[in-house]
């Protein structure tokens, strides 16, 4: 990958960041109106089960007021804003794509949360941290985009104080993919690394973490993505009015791909909790 920011745009979910502006207009907000984090959660959580999954991380990683949290791959900033506004934690939200980063920073400022959520644009594999550390590193559906798992887990360890937690929800491989399947995963999902659940666990264990939990999320996310597609199609008239045909078709295509892949028995999902030794 030469330019990860460009390559990642092969994934339909990332094509239309301006759909956020359409949703804000639909909420009756103009370009500078103040916002509340909880009125954005219908469209700013780019993972499964929205804020419930973020609350799960709060419980599993013991995140509380004043806790220092790093989110890897923070997208539109939805999880970071929910974390900061519900727990009082201070979140560093690292995002690769500049358009998502800028949109996220604007939403956070308009929510009055810019004192507790710091948005940073960069690649987790290379971003300089200048010796800073965190109490928890969290991530939803971002790590599978990132090659070099050795560098990734090493950096997670270096950024955590002893006893700090990693909480990850991510894609994995239940069985191996053939070449055409891998080509589709690399383009439609911008996948770079899809290990087995056991390899996922070992990557963290070998890097100096106690792996507390690895949950198989595949069945749950297969149902979730199926219901998401049905709900999106059922609101076709609304989405065409709010977003237009381009966004509607892109999102339908992406949602259909996820249903097909999860139903195919090879793509899986995991939730991993690990503690830095
Ligand atoms: C599926 S989105 C999820 C966003 C957010 N975690 C959420 O759940 O709402 C994954 C995000 O990870 C970002 N990402 C991918 N590779 C990255 C990297 N190397 N460094 C930082 N962010 C990355 C992508 O640009 C994308 O916005």
């Amino acid at each position: 990958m030469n330019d990860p920011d460009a390559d990642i745009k092969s994934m339909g979910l990332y094509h239309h960041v301006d759909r956020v502006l359409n949703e804000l207009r639909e909420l009756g907000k103009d370009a500078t109106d103040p916002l509340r984090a909880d009125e954005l959660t219908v469209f700013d959580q780019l993972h499964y089960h929205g804020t419930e999954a973020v609350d799960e991380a709060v419980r599993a990683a013991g995140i509380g007021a004043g806790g220092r949290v790093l989110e890897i791959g923070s997208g539109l900033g939805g999880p970071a804003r929910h974390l900061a506004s519900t727990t009082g934690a201070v979140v560093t939200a690292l995002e690769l794509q500049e358009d998502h980063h800028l949109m996220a920073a604007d939403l956070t400022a308009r929510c009055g949360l810019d004192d507790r959520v710091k948005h940073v644009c960069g690649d987790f594999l290379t971003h300089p941290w200048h010796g800073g550390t965190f109490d928890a590193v969290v991530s939803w559906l971002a790590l599978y985009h990132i090659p070099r798992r050795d560098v990734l887990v090493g950096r997670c360890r270096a950024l955590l104080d002893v006893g700090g937690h990693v909480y990850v929800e991510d894609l994995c491989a239940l069985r191996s993919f053939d070449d055409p399947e891998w080509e589709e995963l690399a383009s439609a999902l911008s996948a770079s690394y899809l290990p087995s659940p056991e390899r996922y666990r070992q990557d963290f264990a070998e890097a100096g973490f106690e792996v507390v939990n690895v949950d198989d999320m595949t069945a749950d996310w297969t149902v979730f993505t199926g219901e998401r597609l049905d709900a999106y199609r059922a609101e076709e008239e609304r989405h065409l009015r709010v977003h237009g045909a381009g966004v509607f078709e892109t999102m339908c295509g992406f949602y259909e791909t996820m249903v097909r892949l999860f139903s195919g028995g090879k793509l899986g999902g995991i939730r991993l909790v690990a503690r830095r030794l």
Side-chain angles (χ1 to χ4, degrees):
M1 269 194 183
N2 296 327
D3 179 356
D5 192 302
D7 290 350
I8 205 164
K9 291 293 183 197
S10 63
M11 178 159 152
L13 181 66
Y14 304 143
H15 287 185
H16 299 283
V17 73
D18 52 344
R19 70 183 190 276
V20 171
L21 302 178
N22 302 336
E23 293 289 356
L24 291 179
R25 204 178 322 108
E26 188 67 5
L27 283 175
K29 309 288 182 184
D30 77 20
T32 54
D33 280 344
L35 304 169
R36 288 194 330 269
D38 65 5
E39 61 190 349
L40 311 181
T41 56
V42 185
F43 55 86
D44 72 1
Q45 311 278 321
L46 304 184
H47 58 267
Y48 308 131
H49 295 299
T51 57
E52 273 175 44
V54 183
D55 294 338
E56 184 63 32
V58 169
R59 280 190 291 277
I63 296 168
R68 299 159 304 152
V69 180
L70 168 64
E71 185 187 358
I72 304 173
S74 47
L76 299 169
R81 282 187 294 275
H82 182 71
L83 253 175
S85 62
T86 57
T87 67
V90 180
V91 185
T92 299
L94 177 74
E95 170 54 44
L96 179 70
Q97 298 176 75
E98 190 179 27
D99 57 355
H100 283 60
H101 159 75
L102 293 172
M103 181 68 79
D106 181 56
L107 294 175
T108 295
R110 290 170 65 185
C111 289
L113 286 168
D114 40 348
D115 57 336
R116 274 180 279 162
V117 180
K118 182 184 173 205
H119 289 279
V120 178
C121 192
D123 180 342
F124 183 63
L125 291 179
T126 53
H127 185 74
W129 294 104
H130 306 295
T133 57
F134 298 92
D135 302 307
V137 173
V138 297
S139 189
W140 289 268
L141 299 177
L143 300 195
Y144 81 94
H145 285 308
I146 305 178
R148 299 296 311 270
R149 182 57 54 109
D150 54 338
V151 177
L152 187 151
V153 289
R155 290 196 129 215
C156 286
R157 186 169 190 279
L159 286 167
L160 281 166
D161 292 329
V162 172
H165 282 85
V166 166
Y167 177 99
V168 175
E169 295 192 12
D170 201 10
L171 303 180
C172 63
L174 303 178
R175 289 190 282 133
S176 56
F177 299 103
D178 62 27
D179 286 349
E181 288 167 335
W182 185 251
E183 265 171 43
E184 181 186 26
L185 291 162
S187 89
L189 268 62
S190 190
S192 290
Y193 184 73
L194 287 172
S196 68
E198 184 49 28
R199 183 69 253 166
Y200 215 112
R201 167 198 289 278
Q202 282 172 11
D203 285 342
F204 279 87
E206 288 166 10
F209 286 88
E210 175 200 352
V211 177
V212 179
N213 229 16
V214 182
D215 294 318
D216 181 354
M217 304 304 289
T218 311
D220 183 302
W221 290 358
T222 303
V223 173
F224 179 93
T225 50
E227 290 175 352
R228 177 175 71 172
L229 175 61
D230 292 345
Y232 198 77
R233 281 190 182 135
E235 292 286 317
E236 174 172 354
E237 209 174 301
R238 184 260 181 204
H239 296 316
L240 287 174
R241 176 178 57 76
V242 174
H243 297 291
V247 169
F248 180 73
E249 277 153 27
T250 302
M251 296 306 287
C252 270
F254 175 70
Y255 290 164
E256 282 161 10
T257 300
M258 293 316 300
V259 171
R260 178 168 49 74
L261 289 171
F262 275 129
S263 308
K266 290 190 175 180
L267 186 72
I270 60 138
R271 179 167 62 196
L272 174 139
V273 181
R275 202 174 65 86
R276 188 228 199 261
L277 297 171

